[in-house]
Amino acid sequence: MKLSNFNFNLPKELLAEFPAENRDESRLMVVNRKTNTIEHRLFKDILEYFDEGDVMVLNNTKVFPARLYGNKEKTGARIEVFLLRELNSEQRLWDVLVDPARKIRIGNKLYFGDDDSLVAEVIDNTTSRGRTLRFLYDGSYEEFRAKLNELGETPIPKYINREVVPEDADRYQTIYAKEEGAVAAPTAGLHFSKHLLKRLEIKGIDFAEVTLHVGLGTFNPVEVEDLSKHKMDSEELIITQEACDIVNKAKTAKSKVCAVGTTTMRAMESSVSSQKTLNPYVGWTNKFIFPPYDFSVADCMITNFHTPKSTLLMMISAFMGHDLMKKAYEEAVKEGYKFYSYGDAMLIL
């Protein structure tokens, strides 16, 4: 499989700028791998495809307001700082991306807030756009984090060509988000409303939660034609014993295990036993799934519609089969499904 196998024409108007009015009323394409069939439904109809004892595995990571705007000392130039990960909480060191990067050199200071109450010093270059910053702030660690939250804005994806609106803080977050640490939402989960989760629960569907803090690695473009040469950025992953017990019990009972989103699928595939059961895990994963690939845990998945040449599309191809994926995506474009983070959903059975 080569990078060029994952290119297709995606009309610009199919990139969703806003979410559906109600979370569970986005459109749902249901693709059945056994029968090779495609149905068009609404997301809330997902209830009809699951039975008592089936398990949905959710990624409970929580997006933090990772995008800050500061001014460079002396010149006052406006600089965007995108927080990627905390490297050292005591020294307040962070891995970040800066834009425009060519202006930001080691030793530069950046000032944030109307009163310049937060200052950062550039102490290292990591990549062409990447820098390591040391934040200087008078106050406790809790006060420092509160200041980051106050100054930061919801990191909606760059392709969304509009200002951040207050609703984004709520809608670019799953309703079950708990563990703060993601710079992008696990978007398949955005379609679940409280009401729908309750109805699934009443029907006897179980839920297991894993935590994969989505970094930009998930969205980094693939720039090599030979997919085996692409390296994913590492993302932090936690799988508890409790989650393993719920998933493995369902597998033993031959019930469905559904991965809600590509991040959940990657999380589970990062920690499997030789018996194809889920193992507890605390650490980092840079797992990259592309065809051909033999999946061990989930037998169905919920996902959004992904952009051409993305690592997410490659995983979907590995799970569905490449020809069926192409057929489904041609249908999605023809039927005007919305793509990407705020777009519509697909259930792959």
Side-chain angles (χ1 to χ4, degrees), residues 40 47 68 83 104 163 194 213 224 247 255 263 280 286 292 339:
H40 303 290
L47 200 64
L68 301 169
L83 301 172
I104 302 300
E163 291 292 307
K194 284 198 169 73
H213 290 315
V224 285
V247 168
S255 296
T263 59
N286 62 352
F339 278 66

Side-chain angles (χ1 to χ4, degrees), residues 115-285:
D115 53 357
D116 295 344
S117 55
L118 183 64
V119 182
E121 185 181 4
V122 182
I123 60 168
D124 198 10
N125 289 343
T126 49
T127 60
S128 59
R129 288 180 57 213
R131 302 287 184 273
T132 303
L133 297 188
R134 178 187 286 119
F135 282 97
L136 313 168
Y137 182 72
D138 291 333
S140 67
Y141 178 70
E142 287 67 30
E143 289 166 331
F144 164 64
R145 286 303 296 247
K147 182 53 99 174
L148 285 184
N149 277 346
E150 176 199 321
L151 294 173
E153 67 175 35
T154 303
I156 60 171
K158 278 284 199 200
Y159 81 87
I160 294 181
N161 220 342
R162 60 171 173 80
E163 291 292 307
V164 171
V165 294
E167 292 76 56
D168 287 317
D170 174 49
R171 291 303 300 271
Y172 195 62
Q173 195 81 274
T174 63
I175 58 164
Y176 46 77
K178 285 194 189 88
E179 306 293 339
E180 193 171 84
V183 300
T187 54
L190 298 179
H191 303 285
F192 286 90
S193 62
K194 284 198 169 73
H195 181 62
L196 179 58
L197 276 183
K198 194 77 205 151
R199 289 176 67 201
L200 286 161
E201 215 177 282
I202 290 165
K203 197 171 176 182
I205 284 101
D206 288 325
F207 296 93
E209 294 184 8
V210 299
T211 307
L212 182 109
H213 290 315
V214 190
L216 286 188
T218 299
F219 305 100
N220 272 353
V222 180
E223 287 164 345
V224 285
E225 184 63 12
D226 176 355
L227 300 185
S228 65
K229 303 253 186 320
H230 178 69
K231 293 278 181 287
M232 292 283 274
D233 276 2
S234 290
E235 294 168 320
E236 198 173 355
L237 169 61
I238 300 153
I239 301 174
T240 61
Q241 184 63 56
E242 184 190 3
C244 295
D245 293 343
I246 296 168
V247 168
N248 295 335
K249 182 180 154 201
K251 283 186 74 70
T252 306
K254 304 240 178 317
S255 296
K256 279 196 201 82
V257 174
C258 181
V260 178
T262 54
T263 59
T264 301
M265 186 67 93
R266 275 184 50 237
M268 292 196 289
E269 290 296 320
S270 295
S271 187
V272 289
S273 72
S274 52
Q275 282 83 45
K276 297 199 167 188
T277 55
L278 188 59
N279 284 338
Y281 187 88
V282 176
W284 296 77
T285 178

Side-chain angles (χ1 to χ4, degrees), residues 38 63 158 169 179 181 269 292 310 315 320:
I38 292 173
V63 179
K158 278 284 199 200
E179 306 293 339
E269 290 296 320
S310 60
M315 181 196 292
M320 285 174 86

Side-chain angles (χ1 to χ4, degrees), residues 30-169:
V30 182
V31 183
N32 190 311
R33 294 177 294 168
K34 281 201 187 80
T35 56
N36 241 15
T37 52
I38 292 173
E39 292 176 85
H40 303 290
R41 308 291 298 263
L42 288 179
F43 192 79
K44 58 187 179 185
D45 301 334
I46 210 151
L47 200 64
E48 295 171 30
Y49 296 90
F50 292 90
D51 300 303
E52 191 175 344
D54 289 345
V55 169
M56 288 188 172
V57 188
L58 312 172
N59 181 4
N60 66 11
T61 187
K62 188 173 187 180
V63 179
F64 67 96
R67 190 173 276 132
L68 301 169
Y69 292 97
N71 298 97
K72 191 178 165 189
E73 65 177 338
K74 297 192 179 112
T75 66
R78 180 173 148 107
I79 304 293
E80 178 189 309
V81 172
F82 196 97
L83 301 172
L84 288 178
R85 60 176 76 97
E86 186 173 50
L87 299 172
N88 183 311
S89 56
E90 275 174 40
Q91 295 181 28
R92 300 183 186 172
L93 294 183
W94 280 76
D95 212 353
V96 306
L97 295 177
V98 291
D99 192 25
R102 61 195 156 69
K103 295 182 174 176
I104 302 300
R105 301 193 173 90
I106 292 174
N108 287 160
K109 282 203 170 81
L110 301 171
Y111 293 86
F112 302 91
D114 296 337
D115 53 357
D116 295 344
S117 55
L118 183 64
V119 182
E121 185 181 4
V122 182
I123 60 168
D124 198 10
N125 289 343
T126 49
T127 60
S128 59
R129 288 180 57 213
R131 302 287 184 273
T132 303
L133 297 188
R134 178 187 286 119
F135 282 97
L136 313 168
Y137 182 72
D138 291 333
S140 67
Y141 178 70
E142 287 67 30
E143 289 166 331
F144 164 64
R145 286 303 296 247
K147 182 53 99 174
L148 285 184
N149 277 346
E150 176 199 321
L151 294 173
E153 67 175 35
T154 303
I156 60 171
K158 278 284 199 200
Y159 81 87
I160 294 181
N161 220 342
R162 60 171 173 80
E163 291 292 307
V164 171
V165 294
E167 292 76 56
D168 287 317

